[in-house]
Amino acid sequence: MLTIEIKGLDKCMQELKASYKREREKVVTPIIEKVVENIKAATPVRTGRARDGWHIENGNIVNHVPYIDDLNEGSSHKAPEFFVEKAALNTDYVEPNGQIVVYK
């Protein structure tokens, strides 16, 4: 049996993964930011609290305003039911792939 050991391959793989992550972020971050922009624009406004509650947290788009679920379920006459999902899917490069909104 012949074994060839290539030194430095682990370091090379780590550098490749880091480079991939940086390049991926260059593409993904603007898309996520556009989704947030679209959702903010679709959020009904009375005081602005719900609209201003949208932000990116650990790579997810979140809103901790307590009544955001009710708004998305159609409680406001200013926005249709499921406006969050509609706004997200109305963003270039975003396609449905399972559940979009998770209520916690």
Side-chain angles (χ1 to χ4, degrees):
M1 178 168 129
L2 175 64
T3 302
I4 300 173
E5 182 179 323
I6 302 172
K7 295 186 182 211
L9 190 56
D10 287 340
K11 182 179 178 185
C12 180
M13 288 302 294
Q14 289 172 351
E15 290 172 4
L16 183 60
K17 287 177 184 177
S19 175
Y20 170 77
K21 185 177 179 181
R22 285 190 302 273
E23 292 303 313
R24 182 179 178 276
E25 289 303 313
K26 287 180 186 177
V27 173
V28 172
T29 299
I31 295 170
I32 293 173
E33 290 170 349
K34 183 63 176 174
V35 171
V36 171
E37 180 183 316
N38 287 349
I39 293 172
K40 281 185 174 187
T43 303
V45 177
R46 190 173 91 202
T47 65
R49 183 176 174 208
R51 179 197 56 218
D52 296 340
W54 293 109
H55 62 280
I56 301 168
E57 189 175 284
N58 298 322
N60 296 304
I61 300 169
V62 298
N63 189 323
H64 296 292
V65 172
Y67 53 87
I68 195 66
D69 308 7
D70 295 332
L71 288 176
N72 195 45
E73 291 172 354
S75 69
S76 172
H77 65 280
K78 295 181 180 181
E81 187 177 38
F82 307 119
F83 71 88
V84 173
E85 290 89 335
K86 290 173 184 176
L89 291 172
N90 197 31
T91 308
D92 290 340
Y93 308 109
V94 175
E95 296 181 13
N97 186 14
Q99 187 175 3
I100 296 172
V101 173
V102 177
Y103 295 107
K104 293 187 177 184

